[in-house]
């Protein structure tokens, strides 16, 4: 896994994730030109989207279970999880993210790119097991004095 952390907004974490997704799709189509109509879906997702999809699976008329949702994200050939723990840091969020990250990294060994506005210490305080798994990959923590690029564009 590659994890990019920064307390600052607008420094390019999400942009980098989008670029990696585009490169992955480009390489897939280059290697599989006969599958031009095939589109990779859900390879870029925020943590909030995952939580929402899991919660929707609890409805009586849902065709998917919580396990189905978790397995779907755990088995993607490539996955970007944007804004890890930006929407919540409760037991539900920790459990869902730990399961997805554990399956992707420890069981399936699949490439995963994660962004967060938290620092290492804050992630460790939320869940030491997730921090440990992220630490097995590359963790890039940008300094807080990084300038918001979105703000600079508007000026």
């Amino acid at each position: 896994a590659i994890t990019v952390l920064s307390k600052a907004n607008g420094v390019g974490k999400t942009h980098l994730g989008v670029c990696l997704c585009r490169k992955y799709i480009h390489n897939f189509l280059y290697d599989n030109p006969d599958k031009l109509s095939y589109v990779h879906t859900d390879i870029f997702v925020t943590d909030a989207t995952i939580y929402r999809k899991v919660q929707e699976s609890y409805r009586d008329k849902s065709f998917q279970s919580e396990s189905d949702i978790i397995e779907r994200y755990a088995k993607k050939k490539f996955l970007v999880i944007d804004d890890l723990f930006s929407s919540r840091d409760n037991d539900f969020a920790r459990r869902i993210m730990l399961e997805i990250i554990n399956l992707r990294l420890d069981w399936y060994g699949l490439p995963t790119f994660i962004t967060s506005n938290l620092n290492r210490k804050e992630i460790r305080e939320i869940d030491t097991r997730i921090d440990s798994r992220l630490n097995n990959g590359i963790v890039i923590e940008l300094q807080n004095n990084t300038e918001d690029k979105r703000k600079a564009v508007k000026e």
Side-chain angles (χ1 to χ4, degrees):
I2 298 174
T3 306
V4 178
L5 308 173
S6 176
K7 300 292 285 178
N9 295 318
V11 297
K13 300 180 300 283
T14 299
H15 179 73
L16 183 56
V18 169
C19 290
L20 290 171
C21 286
R22 288 180 177 170
K23 182 66 174 168
Y24 171 77
I25 291 169
H26 176 269
N27 287 349
F28 174 83
L29 292 175
Y30 183 79
D31 292 339
N32 302 283
D34 57 318
K35 295 186 179 180
L36 187 59
S37 62
Y38 180 81
V39 177
H40 284 274
T41 58
D42 289 339
I43 63 170
F44 183 96
V45 65
T46 64
D47 71 339
T49 299
I50 294 173
Y51 304 144
R52 181 178 44 78
K53 289 181 186 254
V54 168
Q55 288 173 331
E56 287 172 357
S57 75
Y58 301 152
R59 294 184 182 159
D60 288 340
K61 295 181 180 181
S62 176
F63 295 105
Q64 294 183 314
S65 68
E66 176 183 299
S67 294
D68 294 335
I69 305 294
I70 290 169
E71 283 293 316
R72 183 170 96 210
Y73 289 110
K75 290 184 175 178
K76 293 283 179 190
K77 297 291 184 201
F78 176 74
L79 182 67
V80 172
I81 301 173
D82 192 37
D83 288 335
L84 180 68
F85 294 128
S86 66
S87 58
R88 45 178 103 186
D89 65 348
N90 57 37
D91 288 335
F92 172 78
R94 284 191 291 274
R95 182 178 60 80
I96 298 300
M97 278 302 137
L98 176 61
E99 194 160 350
I100 291 171
I101 290 169
N102 182 54
L103 287 170
R104 289 193 64 75
L105 303 182
D106 290 348
W107 287 97
Y108 304 132
L110 293 169
T112 308
F113 183 81
I114 299 170
T115 71
S116 181
N117 280 36
L118 303 179
N119 60 34
R120 292 295 305 278
K121 182 179 182 243
E122 291 168 323
I123 290 174
R124 195 174 308 114
E125 289 170 357
I126 291 171
D127 196 302
T128 57
R129 298 165 298 174
I130 290 174
D131 178 62
S132 175
R133 282 162 179 80
L134 297 180
N135 197 40
N136 281 337
I138 298 169
V139 179
I140 302 165
E141 190 166 354
L142 303 175
Q143 299 303 313
N144 290 341
N145 60 358
T146 309
E147 188 177 314
D148 185 337
K149 302 301 181 203
R150 288 188 206 110
K151 190 176 176 183
V153 169
K154 290 181 181 179
E155 292 176 355

